[in-house]
Amino acid sequence: MTMIGKVRRMFFRQKKSVREILRLTSLSRNTVRKWLKTPVLEEPRYRRNEVPGKLTAFHETLKLALKADAHRPRHERRTACALFTQICAEGYAGSYSRVTDFVRAGSRAKSIGRTPWRGTVRRTTTSERQRRRHGDARFAQSWSKGRTP
């Protein structure tokens, strides 16, 4: 809406010509004329068609494998390389990076709370580590005086 709004504002309120709007915005003449002609209230959305990739047929296989591995100890879980060789044996002809992207996307979704297959790693901040190392009172006291521990 921002660019359409700017173009319409320049034309209708500021009374600028189409050529001047073209110079200021670097948009095409046809685009500006189309935006001025139609009473559009929101910016057009350009959507790509969903095209199935080479990995699409193996999504369920990978999800089941990752779900099964979630119940195993960490050292017994299959790596992305092992999953890649498994689906290659089933007929997958794509690249390894697509498989790793799929596994990573699943683990990211888990950290948000959407899928059940991967655990999350909790990262501690520097201040949390310092509090543990020195004790809460000393850390809070040193910061209140303006010094670092």
Side-chain angles (χ1 to χ4, degrees):
M1 186 63 193
T2 57
M3 200 57 161
I4 292 176
K6 285 180 186 177
V7 168
R8 294 179 69 85
R9 200 173 305 115
M10 281 192 254
F11 186 77
F12 292 115
R13 289 187 190 164
Q14 298 172 2
K15 304 294 183 190
K16 293 188 179 185
S17 67
V18 174
R19 280 189 180 180
E20 197 171 353
I21 293 171
L22 298 178
R23 251 184 284 125
L24 293 171
T25 60
S26 302
L27 291 170
S28 110
R29 181 177 40 123
N30 293 337
T31 304
V32 171
R33 285 195 177 154
K34 181 175 73 173
W35 285 355
L36 293 174
K37 203 184 312 181
T38 59
V40 177
L41 299 177
E42 63 182 51
E43 201 162 342
R45 296 179 185 168
Y46 302 102
R47 297 181 189 165
R48 285 186 138 179
N49 294 335
E50 285 292 323
V51 179
K54 292 179 183 178
L55 188 65
T56 307
F58 300 96
H59 278 201
E60 286 304 314
T61 306
L62 289 172
K63 284 180 186 177
L64 287 173
L66 292 169
K67 191 173 184 178
D69 284 351
H71 301 294
R72 295 180 179 165
R74 185 173 293 270
H75 67 277
E76 291 181 9
R77 293 180 186 167
R78 287 173 277 191
T79 61
C81 186
L83 293 171
F84 175 69
T85 55
Q86 177 188 344
I87 63 173
C88 279
E90 295 174 10
Y92 176 64
S95 68
Y96 172 70
S97 63
R98 292 292 178 180
V99 177
T100 57
D101 290 345
F102 181 82
V103 171
R104 240 182 258 118
S107 66
R108 237 181 259 127
K110 168 60 181 155
S111 66
I112 297 171
R114 282 188 260 159
T115 55
W117 61 69
R118 298 278 304 236
T120 59
V121 176
R122 185 175 181 274
R123 298 192 193 312
T124 58
T125 61
T126 305
S127 59
E128 286 179 39
R129 276 182 262 144
Q130 287 174 341
R131 273 192 219 112
R132 283 189 206 141
R133 190 178 311 135
H134 303 295
D136 252 346
R138 180 176 167 217
F139 184 74
Q141 184 182 16
S142 64
W143 275 104
S144 65
K145 292 181 181 177
R147 296 186 328 239
T148 58

